[in-house]
Amino acid sequence: MNPQTISSVLALINAAFALGGEIVPIALKAYNAIKGESGMTDDQLIAAAETLNDADKQKLADLIASLS
Amino acid sequence: MKHLTKRSAIAVVISLSLFAASCSPSKIREARKAAHRIQVTIDASTDSLISLHNKHIVSDAKTRQLALGLQKANNANSVLIAHAKEATADTPATRQQLLTDVQGVIDAVRELKDAGILGIKSENGTLAFDAAINAMETSVQIIKGALQ
């Protein structure tokens, strides 16, 4: 993992621990996902990115709709 | 005849090796890794925003503004993912396309940063969201560097 990415993710984890609650598992999930990249094939990487992209599309659409 | 056949075989092997070396799959892999990494940080930012909103640390108006920004980044990364998926060879045209796509993500992240985290009432909430955006920005800069 690139050092810059590590420090960015660690900053997120630090802030998460300071904030507590649900943010901590979010930060850890991000850390584990990035750490697991090296074991994935190219196809698996893209498939994972696509799946997450679709999920986030829905999550954001739902969030925006809930605020209307 | 035997010599000619052996020489031809060696020539074919050398040609194939040179062809393989000119297509550097590692650059394409870097692009795919970065597209994945960007998506992971978009996902973390989205979940963080939802959590901060639920805790009433971010107002409805600010949440909407940031959600729209994340939506833009998500859409831009969707384009990068699609092109990174199709890329099979590291050619100048492929790199240029991926660089254009990366710029789309950079522009979206920049807008998100400019929208700012003012309005997030807690310092730690600000830190959490800011860190997520910085992680996204780092991933994008890495892929830009790898492709140039």
Side-chain angles (χ1 to χ4, degrees):
Chain A
M1 200 187 306
N2 181 283
Q4 291 166 294
T5 307
I6 293 172
S7 65
S8 294
V9 175
L10 282 175
L12 177 60
I13 292 172
N14 282 339
F17 275 106
L19 193 61
E22 310 134 53
I23 303 282
V24 174
I26 292 167
L28 287 173
K29 189 177 99 173
Y31 179 76
N32 286 331
I34 290 172
K35 202 171 147 214
E37 271 171 5
S38 56
M40 291 165 90
T41 64
D42 280 21
D43 287 347
Q44 284 170 335
L45 274 171
I46 279 298
E50 275 181 322
T51 303
L52 208 47
N53 185 268
D54 287 341
D56 288 335
K57 195 181 229 172
Q58 192 60 58
K59 241 186 264 181
L60 286 162
D62 290 345
L63 176 61
I64 290 164
S66 76
L67 298 166
S68 303
Chain B
M1 194 66 180
K2 231 180 172 177
H3 262 293
L4 196 62
T5 306
K6 190 175 179 183
R7 205 183 299 167
S8 301
I10 290 170
V12 166
V13 167
I14 289 171
S15 302
L16 282 173
S17 304
L18 286 171
F19 176 75
S22 73
C23 299
S24 166
S26 63
K27 289 285 183 192
I28 303 301
R29 181 170 173 82
E30 283 304 307
R32 288 175 178 165
K33 238 165 68 178
H36 175 255
R37 195 166 293 174
I38 290 165
Q39 196 58 52
V40 166
T41 50
I42 288 173
D43 187 58
S45 303
T46 301
D47 287 346
S48 297
L49 178 61
I50 292 169
S51 179
L52 293 172
H53 178 250
N54 289 343
K55 289 176 190 296
H56 306 292
I57 290 171
V58 190
S59 69
D60 280 6
K62 179 54 76 175
T63 300
R64 187 182 159 80
Q65 185 187 24
L66 294 173
L68 286 170
L70 282 169
Q71 212 175 36
K72 210 166 177 179
N74 199 57
N75 289 342
N77 201 42
S78 164
V79 176
L80 174 60
I81 288 167
H83 288 144
K85 184 178 180 179
E86 286 163 9
T88 50
D90 182 15
T91 64
T94 301
R95 286 199 197 191
Q96 193 48 58
Q97 178 64 73
L98 293 172
L99 272 168
T100 302
D101 297 340
V102 165
Q103 192 58 49
V105 179
I106 289 172
D107 291 345
V109 172
R110 205 160 276 156
E111 271 187 46
L112 201 50
K113 271 192 112 166
D114 290 345
I117 36 164
L118 297 169
I120 296 181
K121 291 171 217 163
S122 124
E123 191 186 325
N124 291 327
T126 298
L127 275 172
F129 198 75
D130 199 27
I133 299 298
N134 284 337
M136 207 184 305
E137 207 174 27
T138 301
S139 302
V140 174
Q141 294 302 340
I142 289 166
I143 182 179
K144 201 174 175 187
L147 290 170
Q148 280 171 333

